[in-house]
Amino acid sequence: MPVAIYNPISQGSNVRILIISDIHANLQALEAALEAAPEHDVVVNLGDVVGYGANPNEVVKVSRGLGKIFVRGNHDKAASGIDDAKDFNPIAAAAIQWTRTNLMPETHEWLKGLPSGPMPLDGVPEVQLVHGSPRDEDEYLMYGRDARAVLETVQPTVTFFGHTHLQGSFLSEDEAARFYLVPYEKIKKNEKFAFPLESGKKYLINPGSVGQPRDGDWRAAFAMFDTNTRVVTFFRVPYDLKAAQKEIVNANLPGRLAERLAEGR
């Protein structure tokens, strides 16, 4: 059965939306992100809850406790058997096989029931949620030509997407449709960056990856959208990296998965 979409947002209300994505079974990163997150009214999850990391059951349990607004990711599909892992690289495929073997039955069924995007956010008509792209849930939105094509066709003002593990945004008024990475100082502390949305523009916004960033910054990434001020705030948070790496090594997952956490790649 598909996961029920519960949304406590009433039409026209002002709401603070915590956006998380691509946790990839990294429990230490998720816990640090939630501890650092400011007060919020609702949590949305853009998928890839599992894959790569060593704590899929624990991460699913915590994620389910945050609310019921999810879209599925490609690793969620592969781990639950909806898709095979034939298009995954060998290390990712090995992690999927490990995840399948170690999922509890309830976790497996929950992952299997996750809905596909794009998904509207009830009560907030300007927002939609996807994992990859509104055109294809598995598409990587990394290049200007693809982002521009999407921005020209989408109706909602703001599309939150994940999948690329890159924190930042595309916007419709940029003729080149360049991707704007968040300009952090990249030091070992909590940081945030406020990004006001302008009227009359459309945005594709990636909150970044909680559990496996790929922009050279190892810290957990997430975002908050305040519908009243129309400001997206991006966050980066250090977490217990060594503990996450040790979990991967102890689980006999490929060692490269532990190494890349420190590289932010």
Side-chain angles (χ1 to χ4, degrees):
M1 293 290 292
V3 173
I5 303 171
Y6 167 72
N7 195 335
I9 305 171
S10 60
Q11 188 71 31
S13 65
N14 296 319
V15 63
R16 298 162 298 179
I17 307 168
L18 178 64
I19 308 112
I20 58 177
S21 188
D22 297 280
I23 305 167
H24 282 292
N26 187 334
L27 182 62
Q28 290 76 18
L30 176 59
E31 291 176 337
L34 294 176
E35 183 177 351
E39 290 188 9
H40 50 274
D41 303 301
V42 67
V43 180
V44 302
N45 189 315
L46 305 181
D48 275 359
V49 183
V50 301
Y52 295 131
N55 296 103
N57 296 298
E58 297 89 340
V59 165
V60 165
K61 181 179 180 179
V62 173
S63 298
R64 293 180 69 178
L66 299 174
K68 297 184 179 180
I69 306 176
F70 294 84
V71 293
R72 68 188 183 187
N74 56 313
H75 285 255
D76 303 325
K77 291 192 294 180
S80 63
I82 294 174
D83 281 352
D84 56 32
K86 66 180 181 180
D87 295 328
F88 287 38
N89 67 56
I91 292 176
I96 285 296
Q97 184 57 51
W98 180 93
T99 301
R100 288 176 178 172
T101 301
N102 286 274
L103 285 180
M104 295 173 59
E106 181 183 357
T107 306
H108 176 272
E109 289 305 306
W110 181 83
L111 288 169
K112 193 173 182 179
L114 287 174
S116 62
M119 177 192 298
L121 187 57
D122 294 346
V124 190
E126 69 173 322
V127 170
Q128 70 174 344
L129 312 173
V130 301
H131 180 65
S133 162
R135 301 190 299 187
D136 184 333
E137 63 180 335
D138 296 331
E139 178 182 12
Y140 287 91
L141 283 178
M142 299 184 70
Y143 303 106
R145 64 180 181 274
D146 298 320
R148 188 164 184 81
V150 170
L151 287 165
E152 288 174 349
T153 59
V154 293
Q155 294 301 314
T157 304
V158 184
T159 299
F160 288 110
F161 74 102
H163 201 32
T164 66
H165 299 209
L166 301 174
Q167 188 183 59
S169 64
F170 294 102
L171 65 156
S172 61
E173 294 301 308
D174 184 346
E175 292 184 2
R178 292 169 294 178
F179 186 71
Y180 292 89
L181 288 168
V182 180
Y184 292 116
E185 296 178 10
K186 295 186 178 179
I187 52 180
K188 295 181 179 180
K189 67 175 186 179
N190 291 11
E191 287 189 89
K192 62 182 180 180
F193 179 82
F195 182 64
L197 305 187
E198 298 180 35
S199 179
K201 295 183 179 180
K202 292 181 179 179
Y203 296 85
L204 301 171
I205 298 176
N206 193 322
S209 170
V210 171
Q212 195 185 88
R214 293 180 183 168
D215 52 10
D217 186 338
W218 64 273
R219 296 172 297 176
F222 60 96
M224 175 84 76
F225 179 42
D226 188 318
T227 64
N228 182 35
T229 62
R230 298 197 78 246
V231 172
V232 173
T233 304
F234 295 101
F235 294 84
R236 292 308 272 263
V237 179
Y239 66 94
D240 193 340
L241 176 65
K242 292 188 181 298
Q245 291 176 312
K246 185 177 180 180
E247 294 267 14
I248 289 171
V249 172
N250 289 346
N252 292 317
L253 280 156
R256 176 60 186 153
L257 293 174
E259 295 170 1
R260 71 185 304 180
L261 290 182
E263 299 168 1
R265 296 292 181 191

